[in-house]
Amino acid sequence: MSLDDRQTVLTAVLRRVPGAWHQPAARDVAALVRAAERHGVRPLLAARATDDPDVPPALRAALTDGAPARVAADLADEAALGAAIAGLAGSGIDALLFKGSELAFTHYERSDLRPRLDADVLVRPADVEHAHQVLVDLGYIPDIQAGTEGVLHQRPYSRLTMGGQPVVIDLHWRLVNPAVFEHLGEFGELHAASIAVPLLGPHARGLGPLHAMLVACVHRVAHHFDDDRLIWLYDLHLLAGSFDEDLWRRFAIEAEARGVSAVCRASLTRAVTAFGTAVPDTVLSAPGRREVTARYLQTRRPHAQVVFDDLRALPTWRARWRTMRAHVLPPAAYMREVYAPESGKPLPWLYALRAVRGARKWFGGSSRT
């Protein structure tokens, strides 16, 4: 059976289509479970399998295997994230949750049903260094690989819980990295429209529904080039369920104004195809203008073209030079960590090695971040 066949089973189960568990592609239990993992929907399927007597026993056992450990890990993540948000708030730093780390606590029946590798937290650019110190004081270790100024606008921090569970907080000062998508919203605007996330404590806040939908539509394209991963489409499906006619109207206006209407239409169309998501025809059929962001809907683009689009989107030559230098000549600490963590090889040799290794990515292959 093909991957598309297994994906059809996954979407049918999530849509509660009668007989979905007994489609031919569901007979290869191991392959179906792997597909569920790849699409990030295994916890959702496991929850459905637990409550549905129509599920073949072998498939139910495979899907639910390890479920208690996943719930325990999610509880550890929740406690650590709540403590980090409280620590930031206690130091006078406003922070906003977004992407899966927000939706898990606002739109899913249980947070463990929405897997995530990290918790995405947005702060004001002026608060980045202060937030860095707060997280370090809480025992988090920053990842040097994400410190390339001008290329990435986020930095992951990790620590282990008392039980040895790894927890990662991805600190952002912009919603997405590519410069062509930088106009999704300034922090002040996002904070003014934010909502409370009470499950994570009195200080926890996340993006409001309109901005959460914009980010959900854009992220899967800006960072993953229109990837069909089902959990991202299911996020859209759940978000759409809370939209009324007025919010859809405002969303269409905002998407057009921010230059991402084509990207949003593409994402929502995929959600409609996968889950029958209710989206007004006026949103899906709006023609819009030509947008540079729509180029990200091409699944294979040389990295050099992505960088060129980013450089064109930057407002000054100084910003362009800083960004280009970060791509071509990253900091020495980054180079040693990535290319020679246990070697004293000279930096020129490391930069030459980077150039050789990166040639195919820059000029021949697809660019993914």
Coordinates of all heavy atoms in Angstrom, one line a residue, residues 2 15 46 58 61 65 68 104 133 135 153 156 197 221 225 232 245 252 261 267 284 292 294 302-303 313 318 322 347:
S2 N 0.4 2.3 -0.7 CA 1.2 3.5 -0.7 C 1.0 4.4 0.5 O 0.0 4.2 1.3 CB 0.8 4.3 -2.0 OG -0.5 4.8 -1.8
R15 N -12.0 11.6 10.8 CA -13.4 12.2 10.4 C -14.5 11.3 10.8 O -15.7 11.5 10.6 CB -13.4 12.4 8.9 CG -12.4 13.4 8.3 CD -12.5 13.5 6.8 NE -13.7 14.1 6.4 CZ -13.9 14.6 5.1 NH1 -13.0 14.4 4.2 NH2 -15.1 15.1 4.8
A46 N -5.0 6.9 18.8 CA -5.0 6.0 20.0 C -6.2 6.3 20.8 O -6.9 5.4 21.4 CB -3.7 6.2 20.8
A58 N -5.4 -5.9 17.3 CA -4.0 -5.8 17.1 C -3.7 -4.3 16.7 O -2.6 -3.8 17.2 CB -3.5 -6.7 15.9
A61 N -4.0 -2.3 20.0 CA -2.8 -2.5 20.9 C -1.6 -1.7 20.4 O -0.8 -1.1 21.2 CB -2.5 -4.0 21.0
D65 N 0.1 1.5 22.4 CA 1.3 1.1 23.1 C 2.1 2.3 23.4 O 2.4 3.2 22.6 CB 2.2 0.2 22.2 CG 3.4 -0.3 22.8 OD1 3.4 -0.7 24.0 OD2 4.5 -0.2 22.2
P68 N 0.6 5.7 28.1 CA 0.8 6.2 29.5 C 2.1 7.0 29.6 O 2.2 8.1 30.2 CB 0.9 5.0 30.4 CG 0.1 4.0 29.7 CD 0.4 4.2 28.2
A104 N -2.5 23.1 21.8 CA -2.6 21.9 22.6 C -3.5 22.2 23.8 O -4.2 21.3 24.3 CB -1.3 21.3 23.0
Q133 N 18.3 35.2 30.0 CA 18.9 35.1 31.3 C 17.9 34.4 32.3 O 18.3 33.6 33.1 CB 19.3 36.4 31.9 CG 20.1 36.3 33.2 CD 21.3 35.5 33.0 OE1 22.1 35.8 32.1 NE2 21.5 34.5 33.8
L135 N 15.6 32.1 31.4 CA 15.6 30.7 31.1 C 16.9 30.0 31.6 O 16.8 28.9 32.1 CB 15.4 30.5 29.6 CG 14.1 30.9 29.1 CD1 14.0 30.8 27.5 CD2 12.9 30.1 29.7
H153 N 15.4 33.7 13.8 CA 14.8 34.6 14.8 C 14.2 33.8 15.9 O 13.1 34.2 16.4 CB 13.8 35.5 14.1 CG 14.4 36.3 12.9 ND1 15.0 37.5 13.1 CD2 14.5 36.0 11.6 CE1 15.5 37.9 11.9 NE2 15.2 37.0 11.0
P156 N 16.4 27.7 20.6 CA 15.9 26.7 21.5 C 16.7 26.6 22.8 O 17.9 26.8 22.8 CB 16.0 25.4 20.7 CG 17.1 25.7 19.7 CD 17.1 27.1 19.4
V197 N -4.5 31.4 28.5 CA -4.3 30.0 28.4 C -4.3 29.5 29.9 O -3.2 29.2 30.4 CB -3.1 29.6 27.7 CG1 -3.0 28.1 27.5 CG2 -3.0 30.3 26.3
V221 N 3.9 26.3 5.4 CA 4.4 26.7 4.1 C 5.8 27.4 4.2 O 6.7 27.0 3.6 CB 3.4 27.6 3.3 CG1 4.0 28.1 2.0 CG2 2.1 26.8 3.1
F225 N 7.4 24.2 3.3 CA 7.1 24.2 1.9 C 5.8 23.4 1.5 O 5.9 22.4 0.8 CB 8.3 23.7 1.1 CG 9.4 24.8 1.1 CD1 10.3 24.8 2.1 CD2 9.5 25.7 0.1 CE1 11.3 25.7 2.1 CE2 10.5 26.7 0.1 CZ 11.4 26.7 1.1
W232 N -0.8 19.4 11.2 CA -0.9 20.8 10.9 C -2.3 21.1 10.3 O -2.8 22.2 10.5 CB 0.2 21.3 10.0 CG 1.6 21.1 10.7 CD1 1.9 21.2 12.0 CD2 2.8 20.8 10.1 NE1 3.2 21.0 12.2 CE2 3.8 20.8 11.1 CE3 3.2 20.6 8.7 CZ2 5.2 20.5 10.8 CZ3 4.5 20.3 8.4 CH2 5.5 20.3 9.5
E245 N -18.7 34.1 10.8 CA -18.7 34.8 9.5 C -17.9 36.0 9.6 O -17.0 36.3 8.7 CB -20.1 35.1 9.0 CG -20.2 35.8 7.7 CD -21.6 36.1 7.3 OE1 -22.5 35.6 7.9 OE2 -21.8 36.8 6.3
A252 N -9.7 37.1 6.0 CA -9.4 37.3 4.6 C -8.8 38.6 4.4 O -7.8 38.8 3.6 CB -10.7 37.1 3.8
S261 N -2.2 35.8 1.3 CA -3.6 35.2 1.0 C -3.4 33.9 0.2 O -4.2 33.0 0.5 CB -4.4 36.2 0.2 OG -3.7 36.7 -0.9
S267 N -3.3 26.4 2.3 CA -3.4 25.6 3.6 C -4.8 25.2 3.9 O -5.1 24.1 4.2 CB -2.8 26.4 4.7 OG -1.4 26.6 4.6
L284 N -11.8 30.9 0.2 CA -11.1 29.9 -0.7 C -10.9 30.4 -2.1 O -10.0 30.0 -2.8 CB -11.7 28.6 -0.7 CG -11.7 27.8 0.7 CD1 -12.5 26.5 0.5 CD2 -10.3 27.6 1.2
V292 N 4.9 37.4 -3.3 CA 6.2 36.7 -3.3 C 6.2 35.5 -2.4 O 6.8 34.5 -2.6 CB 7.4 37.6 -2.9 CG1 7.2 38.1 -1.4 CG2 8.7 37.0 -3.1
A294 N 3.9 33.4 -2.1 CA 3.3 32.2 -2.8 C 4.4 31.3 -3.4 O 4.1 30.1 -3.8 CB 2.4 32.7 -3.9
P302 N 15.7 26.0 -4.9 CA 17.1 26.2 -4.5 C 17.2 27.1 -3.3 O 16.5 28.1 -3.3 CB 17.8 26.7 -5.7 CG 17.0 26.3 -6.8 CD 15.6 26.3 -6.3
H303 N 18.0 26.8 -2.3 CA 18.2 27.7 -1.1 C 18.6 29.1 -1.5 O 18.2 30.1 -0.9 CB 19.2 27.1 -0.2 CG 19.3 27.8 1.1 ND1 18.3 27.9 2.0 CD2 20.3 28.5 1.7 CE1 18.7 28.6 3.1 NE2 19.9 28.9 2.9
A313 N 13.3 41.3 0.5 CA 12.2 41.8 1.4 C 12.7 42.7 2.5 O 12.0 43.4 3.2 CB 11.5 40.6 2.0
R318 N 22.0 47.6 4.8 CA 22.7 47.1 6.0 C 22.1 45.8 6.5 O 22.8 44.9 6.9 CB 22.6 48.2 7.1 CG 23.4 47.8 8.4 CD 23.3 48.9 9.4 NE 24.0 48.5 10.6 CZ 24.1 49.3 11.7 NH1 23.5 50.5 11.7 NH2 24.8 48.8 12.8
R322 N 24.0 42.1 6.6 CA 24.1 41.4 7.9 C 23.5 40.0 7.7 O 24.1 39.0 8.1 CB 23.3 42.1 9.0 CG 23.5 41.4 10.3 CD 22.9 42.3 11.5 NE 21.5 42.6 11.3 CZ 21.0 43.8 11.1 NH1 21.8 44.8 10.9 NH2 19.7 43.9 10.9
L347 N 39.7 27.9 11.3 CA 38.4 28.3 10.8 C 38.3 28.4 9.3 O 37.3 28.0 8.7 CB 38.1 29.7 11.4 CG 37.5 29.7 12.8 CD1 37.3 31.1 13.3 CD2 36.1 29.0 12.8

